[in-house]
Amino acid sequence: MSDYSELPVLPMSIRFDHAAGTLSPAGPTLTRRMSDLEGLFLDQDAWLSALADGDPIVYSVVSSRVPEIDRELPQSITTIQPGVTGGEFWMTKGHQHPNHQGEIYLGISGSGGLLMFDGTSTNWVDMTPGTIGYIPPGWAHRSVNVGKEPYSFLAVYPGGAGHDYGWVLEHGLGQRVCTENDGVVFRDYFTGARP
Amino acid sequence: MSDYSELPVLPMSIRFDHAAGTLSPAGPTLTRRMSDLEGLFLDQDAWLSALADGDPIVYSVVSSRVPEIDRELPQSITTIQPGVTGGEFWMTKGHQHPNHQGEIYLGISGSGGLLMFDGTSTNWVDMTPGTIGYIPPGWAHRSVNVGKEPYSFLAVYPGGAGHDYGWVLEHGLGQRVCTENDGVVFRDYFTGARP
């Protein structure tokens, strides 16, 4: 038994297939449907319509087998489907790390963005294949698909950072990412007004 | 001023050019020459000869601008030149994280390997483009170029993990990665014997 390492996590080799957007061996997969995004789109009626229209999958997250525990550094691939509900691009729920720690996203395919909010300032990083978006400690974050194809990215994050989804419901994310005349526009998170 | 984030690290976009093996904007670059690898090759005479023969660059590490401080998640690209000294493939110094935390390496180009040692067990991950090598907390690690071209990989690591190079001088890394008949063989770290 080593004085330095602690079981049960052993060294491992994980195949990252850039073209297919997969990690193998893979761990748990999370699927988020429209019904899981309650309270997150500004237009509640549009959300209800989408819900009634088959409750589509909005995004999925495939994790590696590195566990989400303190001191480990797990990875996952998120794929957001293209879509618009009430003028807002489809997106992840967004979260804050209760244990403030940095995270990186690496764009794999499609065209997306990384919206960050620290309770005061909003920041947006355009995400294309090969872009690393850096999320500093204490910045809540959401990913958005602004294209017409699925948008995928690799996330690498400290296993003990945690996920607080309630923070976004309470504080918002500063802005919303909407479509207008086939372009991307930002609107105030709570009022929907142009900033 | 935000209640959640702390300056000076703001969100940022970093361009990861897979083909060129660059991060831009880039931060500090570290260059390790043969003279920086004192005491690390088993064959001291061969090391001295290589030193006298121009003290070549063995590897370089280009970092992003995310600082190496607690809670941040910096990245770097390491490129190890191809070469053999005293039968051992060229390699990084190797280190242990004094603050035990996990790290990932993503193979970019060339053919290498990730040698890990927890003081008792040794582990080896073949690294090719698209391989993620996972280094669990408490496993010292070294990268080795076993090919004829430069070997490059992207590292993502907790900024507060630290680098203890003395650990390797004291404990070794279990095994050495050597060439024999154009292949890769492993030898005992301290005696050079076949394991």
Side-chain angles (χ1 to χ4, degrees):
Chain A
M1 189 62 196
S2 166
D3 290 339
Y4 297 95
S5 67
E6 288 174 32
L7 293 173
V9 184
L10 290 172
M12 65 179 97
S13 175
I14 302 155
R15 187 75 204 161
F16 170 38
D17 187 328
H18 207 268
T22 54
L23 295 170
S24 47
T29 297
L30 182 75
T31 301
R32 301 281 197 202
R33 293 182 175 276
M34 190 57 78
S35 51
D36 296 307
L37 274 68
E38 184 171 6
L40 294 174
F41 289 97
L42 187 62
D43 185 337
Q44 168 83 357
D45 289 340
W47 174 75
L48 283 169
S49 293
L51 202 61
D53 194 19
D55 191 15
I57 290 172
V58 178
Y59 64 99
S60 60
V61 185
V62 183
S63 300
S64 78
R65 291 189 180 168
V66 175
E68 289 186 350
I69 56 178
D70 197 31
R71 300 191 168 277
E72 305 289 345
L73 193 64
Q75 319 90 47
S76 63
I77 292 179
T78 299
T79 302
I80 309 175
Q81 298 303 314
V84 171
T85 293
E88 276 183 81
F89 286 108
W90 284 10
M91 61 200 181
T92 61
K93 294 176 74 166
H95 61 263
Q96 174 68 282
H97 296 158
N99 179 358
H100 293 175
Q101 295 189 71
E103 179 169 7
I104 67 158
Y105 286 172
L106 170 64
I108 300 175
S109 61
S111 178
L114 170 53
L115 181 69
M116 291 174 268
F117 182 57
D118 71 350
T120 304
S121 302
T122 303
N123 195 289
W124 172 258
V125 171
D126 280 313
M127 294 289 294
T128 54
T131 302
I132 292 176
Y134 185 63
I135 306 158
W139 288 75
H141 41 286
R142 161 179 288 172
S143 289
V144 183
N145 185 347
V146 299
K148 299 193 185 309
E149 305 296 327
Y151 161 57
S152 290
F153 63 91
L154 175 74
V156 183
Y157 56 101
H163 297 83
D164 180 355
Y165 297 101
W167 195 96
V168 172
L169 293 172
E170 183 180 350
H171 299 274
L173 280 163
Q175 298 187 358
R176 293 180 178 276
V177 190
C178 302
T179 181
E180 193 178 278
N181 298 329
D182 240 18
V184 178
V185 293
F186 296 90
R187 299 193 176 281
D188 180 80
Y189 191 87
F190 289 109
T191 69
R194 283 183 178 277
Chain B
M1 189 65 194
S2 167
D3 291 339
Y4 298 95
S5 66
E6 288 174 32
L7 293 174
V9 185
L10 290 173
M12 65 181 97
S13 174
I14 301 156
R15 186 72 205 162
F16 170 38
D17 186 327
H18 207 268
T22 54
L23 295 171
S24 47
T29 297
L30 183 74
T31 301
R32 300 282 197 200
R33 293 182 176 273
M34 190 57 78
S35 52
D36 296 309
L37 275 69
E38 186 172 3
L40 294 174
F41 289 98
L42 187 61
D43 186 337
Q44 169 83 356
D45 291 339
W47 175 74
L48 283 168
S49 293
L51 203 58
D53 194 21
D55 191 16
I57 291 172
V58 179
Y59 64 99
S60 60
V61 185
V62 183
S63 300
S64 79
R65 292 189 180 169
V66 176
E68 290 187 349
I69 56 178
D70 197 33
R71 300 192 170 277
E72 303 290 345
L73 193 64
Q75 318 91 46
S76 64
I77 292 179
T78 299
T79 302
I80 309 175
Q81 298 303 315
V84 172
T85 293
E88 277 183 79
F89 286 109
W90 285 9
M91 60 201 183
T92 61
K93 295 175 72 165
H95 60 262
Q96 174 69 280
H97 296 158
N99 180 359
H100 293 175
Q101 295 190 71
E103 179 170 8
I104 67 157
Y105 286 174
L106 169 64
I108 300 175
S109 61
S111 179
L114 171 54
L115 182 68
M116 290 174 269
F117 182 56
D118 72 349
T120 304
S121 303
T122 304
N123 195 289
W124 172 257
V125 171
D126 281 313
M127 293 290 293
T128 54
T131 302
I132 291 175
Y134 184 64
I135 305 159
W139 289 75
H141 42 286
R142 161 179 287 172
S143 289
V144 184
N145 184 347
V146 300
K148 298 193 188 306
E149 305 294 328
Y151 161 56
S152 291
F153 63 90
L154 174 75
V156 183
Y157 56 102
H163 296 84
D164 181 355
Y165 296 100
W167 195 95
V168 172
L169 293 172
E170 183 180 353
H171 300 275
L173 281 163
Q175 298 187 356
R176 292 180 179 276
V177 189
C178 302
T179 181
E180 194 178 276
N181 298 327
D182 240 18
V184 178
V185 293
F186 295 90
R187 298 192 178 280
D188 180 79
Y189 191 87
F190 290 109
T191 69
R194 281 182 178 280

